[in-house]
Amino acid sequence: MHFGAPVTILSGPRCRPYNRKVGGAAKSEHLILDGEDVEAVDFTVAGQTPATVYQYLKGLPYANLLGLGKYKTFVHADT
């Protein structure tokens, strides 16, 4: 609600074949593994740059728990 704009999820849970197809890391937090929760999301916020969203998230009290990454076109968060 901070930005009051739509959030678009670009990537969440991924199977191994799709993870390879998109060039994901072999030990990606996006991978669906037996009995484990998927703990990553890549997203954008309409009208905001990834740098702006990243800086906002880094300023939150629990930011050290998120595992944040800022990329050219999106933000990544390990949850």
Side-chain angles (χ1 to χ4, degrees):
M1 293 299 285
H2 174 78
F3 293 108
V7 173
T8 300
I9 304 299
L10 304 173
S11 185
R14 300 193 293 234
C15 64
R16 285 193 187 279
Y18 186 73
N19 190 60
R20 280 191 295 275
K21 180 178 179 180
V22 299
K27 295 187 179 197
S28 172
E29 293 292 333
H30 290 280
L31 279 174
I32 300 168
L33 302 173
D34 291 335
E36 295 184 27
D37 292 332
V38 175
E39 298 179 347
V41 62
D42 298 338
F43 65 98
T44 61
V45 178
Q48 302 297 321
T49 66
T52 300
V53 175
Y54 178 82
Q55 287 303 318
Y56 168 71
L57 293 173
K58 287 294 281 185
L60 296 173
Y62 51 83
N64 62 326
L65 302 175
L66 293 175
L68 297 172
K70 175 181 56 113
Y71 294 86
K72 191 174 184 177
T73 58
F74 65 91
V75 175
H76 170 94
D78 292 338
T79 58

